Amino acid sequence: ETGVTQTPRHLVMGMTNKKSLKCEQHLGHNAMYWYKQSAKKPLELMFVYSLEERVENNSVPSRFSPECPNSSHLFLHLHTLQPEDSALYLCASSQDSLGGNEKLFFGSGTQLSVL
Amino acid sequence: GENVEQHPSTLSVQEGDSAVIKCTYSDSASNYFPWYKQELGKRPQLIIDIRSNVGEKKDQRIAVTLNKTAKHFSLHITETQPEDSAVYFCAASIGAAGNKLTFGGGTRVLVKP
């Protein structure tokens, strides 16, 4: 599949579990993002990576840990989450994060439920 | 930081009628305003965007207008069709940099046949 792919599509985890979300982009973009989408709330930016370096971290709790091993892959490691962390987690990419082609291409998201 | 307010939160229109969604932003330095459409169960996709050096932009049945003085911008959909049913998000950014993009709360549009 071309574009931005995310796995898994759905995830149910307990508060003591450790899991990881994966995102892969096949667009040759230099920037990747994690967004959180909760019901009745705006899309919230969590992390931005540009050329594999983190350039933005919007005061996200440490129980969320991003990793960007290369410009095509982005992970979000989860541990000891809370029920209020249940949401749709969207990955996105863009050509550049610093004023270049700023159109965001989103993945289909991972619907996370924390029990 | 930037704050983007979007209204209405839900909008129901009859097929063929027009739909208008309005957004206001707080930071006068914002200069890039995209609109994303998210159909049920699908990913958000950019449908149109406008930069602060123009006041209006059209693409077939959709148009966006920008009033920099009042700090608000609007999405207009004419001759609505059932496939226009979706959640629409406005956003504003400073410097057109993705890491400065602030989204509005979204508008759920339902086009009734």
Side-chain angles (χ1 to χ4, degrees):
Chain A
E1 181 186 341
T2 57
V4 182
T5 56
Q6 287 185 247
T7 55
R9 291 296 303 273
H10 302 273
L11 179 62
V12 180
M13 59 187 289
M15 289 190 283
T16 58
N17 291 159
K18 289 185 180 181
K19 297 286 184 183
S20 295
L21 309 184
K22 179 182 176 182
C23 177
E24 184 173 358
Q25 59 98 359
H26 309 270
L27 301 168
H29 288 168
N30 294 322
M32 296 187 78
Y33 311 77
W34 280 116
Y35 280 89
K36 177 183 179 182
Q37 187 175 30
S38 306
K40 300 182 180 179
K41 277 190 171 183
L43 281 161
E44 300 174 69
L45 178 64
M46 300 176 72
F47 301 103
V48 181
Y49 277 82
S50 178
L51 296 172
E52 302 149 46
E53 287 194 26
R54 192 188 306 181
V55 297
E56 190 83 14
N57 178 345
N58 275 3
S59 303
V60 179
S62 59
R63 56 186 184 268
F64 295 92
S65 174
E67 179 190 1
C68 187
N70 55 62
S71 59
S72 299
H73 293 86
L74 185 65
F75 295 90
L76 188 62
H77 303 299
L78 317 171
H79 64 98
T80 60
L81 295 192
Q82 304 299 310
E84 59 265 28
D85 296 323
S86 298
L88 180 69
Y89 288 84
L90 288 162
C91 173
S93 71
S94 68
Q95 183 64 50
D96 189 1
S97 74
L98 300 175
N101 185 342
E102 60 290 310
K103 176 180 177 180
L104 294 178
F105 292 79
F106 284 92
S108 297
T110 295
Q111 186 66 53
L112 174 67
S113 297
V114 181
L115 305 179
Chain B
E2 175 67 282
N3 183 47
V4 178
E5 299 283 341
Q6 184 171 347
H7 299 280
S9 57
T10 58
L11 180 59
S12 182
V13 297
Q14 206 66 39
E15 182 178 356
D17 288 350
S18 295
V20 181
I21 304 170
K22 297 181 179 180
C23 290
T24 60
Y25 60 98
S26 60
D27 195 328
S28 56
S30 290
N31 58 9
Y32 174 65
F33 308 92
W35 286 86
Y36 284 81
K37 175 184 179 182
Q38 186 176 26
E39 296 177 43
L40 187 62
K42 295 190 176 180
R43 68 193 74 193
Q45 291 188 295
L46 179 73
I47 54 171
I48 195 168
D49 57 11
I50 192 169
R51 300 180 192 279
S52 60
N53 57 346
V54 297
E56 183 175 358
K57 184 176 179 180
K58 291 184 72 173
D59 183 3
Q60 299 182 353
R61 294 187 296 107
I62 60 173
V64 58
T65 58
L66 171 65
N67 183 327
K68 287 191 295 181
T69 304
K71 290 189 285 187
H72 67 71
F73 56 113
S74 301
L75 179 72
H76 304 253
I77 308 173
T78 58
E79 301 172 25
T80 53
Q81 300 170 5
E83 54 264 37
D84 294 328
S85 296
V87 179
Y88 292 81
F89 294 95
C90 65
S93 90
I94 301 170
N99 59 319
K100 299 296 184 189
L101 202 60
T102 301
F103 282 88
T107 297
R108 185 174 299 279
V109 174
L110 174 63
V111 179
K112 296 182 286 186

